[in-house]
Amino acid sequence: MTLNKLSISYKCQSSIGNSLKLDEMIKEVLTTFFEETCAMSGAFYLFENNSSKYIYSVGKKVDYNIDLLLKESTKDEINIFKYNEKLSLVFYRLEKAFLIFIYDEDIDINFIKSIFESLRKRLDISINSCLNVKDLEEKNSELNNLTLNLQNEVNKAVELNKRKDKQMFEQMKMAQMGELIGNIAHQWRQPLSVISTVASGLKLKKEMNILEDNDFSNYLNKIVDNTYFLSTTIDEFRDYIKESHIEKEIIIQERVRMAIKIIESAFLMENIQVVEDCMEKSPISFKLISGELLQVLLLILNNTKDAFIGNDSKNKWLKYSVKKEEQKIFIVLEDNAGGIPINVLDKIFNPYFTTKHQNQGTGMGLYNCYNIVVKHLKGKLYATNTSVGAKFTIELPNH
């Protein structure tokens, strides 16, 4: 009998703590206790939010009043109640849970009670461990859900910013299209005037019968030369518009000179001299969406032209240069328009900041330029003041 009791005690003890999942652990414990102690039924309940929560049961279904048992039981003790004339109820109360077993009157209840009492501490530790693991898993799940939700919000914000950036770039593109049309008008005005004058002179001399073969040839050559200039100008503008979304390899020097050529007539109308200061002789190739660099250059150049408005200087100039130093390419645009006010120099690349009247600027031009250079071209864009004006530097990686 002693060996049997030791075996029962050992098997009950061995069933505790074999899993950190409460359901699995309790199922093993309850089944072992039920079988080894010859119980008629067994059930496990958890204390949760000032009430009891059913977890698992084995054996016959037996009705009992849980609230009455809790009220009549003594804390930290194993209580034995008379269920009926032939059955006893063992109320095994633990720190965060309780078990209920029903036994036939032939079972040695005191022996059962002694086994349960010896296992109280281990059961409490195992149940607490399972609950801690469950709590940790729930918190990890909440954290994962929170992280997922946060990531979704971040993704939405990033996508929204991308759409806003695209919209701003398109708005800037449309604004520049208006400026380009103005530049076309400036560039076409003189050759159209020449063509008109030559054609009128040719017609007049023909009517007066004083048109000589040499004059006829010279007049036609002038018309052809000027129409060729008009055609070339249109091709440059068309290429700018057509290539604005196509990635290709370009030559930096050619792209800078194209920007200067597009804007040059407008500068000359404002009596601004355009000077090529320093140009790297060896062609510098660079892969990009070709319209982007031209877009940045044209906007900075137009800002420079605007900076000269109201400037009474008789010697207005813009100098441009392209240099290569080790792993970097520098495009520099410098003027003598008086410079940028020192109190706003560090703000000019901020969104919606402008020194112009609200009807003349949105404050997005230089901000968009900065985004193109930094995010798309992986370079840097910064502005400094010189003794006579402002200097904008575009710094690109020389791969």
Side-chain angles (χ1 to χ4, degrees), residues 300-319:
I300 294 174
L301 288 167
N302 273 310
N303 276 7
T304 300
K305 183 190 69 169
D306 293 341
F308 277 110
I309 295 175
N311 190 317
D312 296 329
S313 173
K314 294 182 180 179
N315 184 28
K316 302 175 185 178
W317 52 259
L318 166 84
K319 295 179 182 178

Side-chain angles (χ1 to χ4, degrees), residues 46 73 76 128 161 223 250 263 280 286 296 308 365 379 382:
L46 198 64
S73 64
D76 298 328
N128 285 335
N161 284 336
I223 291 174
I250 56 99
I263 204 77
E280 190 75 31
F286 194 89
V296 171
F308 277 110
Y382 46 90

Side-chain angles (χ1 to χ4, degrees), residues 39 51 70 163 170 186 231 340 358 392:
S51 63
L70 286 169
R163 288 201 298 268
E170 290 301 323
H186 286 310
S231 176
I340 303 165
Q358 61 180 2
F392 283 84

Side-chain angles (χ1 to χ4, degrees), residues 260-293:
I260 294 298
K261 191 169 185 180
I262 289 172
I263 204 77
E264 192 171 27
S265 293
F267 270 53
L268 293 176
M269 291 286 290
E270 299 294 333
N271 297 315
I272 304 168
Q273 185 181 7
V274 181
V275 181
E276 185 173 289
D277 188 32
C278 179
M279 188 64 67
E280 190 75 31
K281 292 183 179 179
S282 301
I284 305 171
S285 60
F286 194 89
K287 193 170 185 179
L288 45 61
I289 295 177
S290 62
E292 289 183 333
L293 180 57

Side-chain angles (χ1 to χ4, degrees), residues 16-17 22 25-26 44 46-47 76 92-99 116-132:
I16 301 171
L22 185 65
M25 196 272 288
I26 288 303
F44 178 86
L46 198 64
F47 289 123
D76 298 328
Y92 188 2
R93 190 162 181 167
L94 299 165
E95 183 183 334
K96 295 181 179 179
F98 60 88
L99 295 95
F116 287 171
E117 193 63 56
S118 68
L119 301 177
R120 176 191 295 277
K121 187 174 181 180
R122 184 164 182 179
L123 259 175
D124 275 333
I125 292 173
S126 294
I127 291 170
N128 285 335
S129 297
C130 289
L131 291 175
N132 288 337

Side-chain angles (χ1 to χ4, degrees), residues 58-84:
V58 291
K60 293 181 179 179
K61 185 176 180 180
V62 180
D63 293 327
Y64 35 72
N65 189 325
I66 296 292
D67 293 333
L68 183 60
L69 290 172
L70 286 169
K71 185 177 180 180
E72 294 182 354
S73 64
T74 306
K75 195 174 181 180
D76 298 328
E77 286 188 14
I78 297 174
N79 296 271
I80 299 175
F81 300 100
K82 198 72 177 174
Y83 184 74
N84 59 33

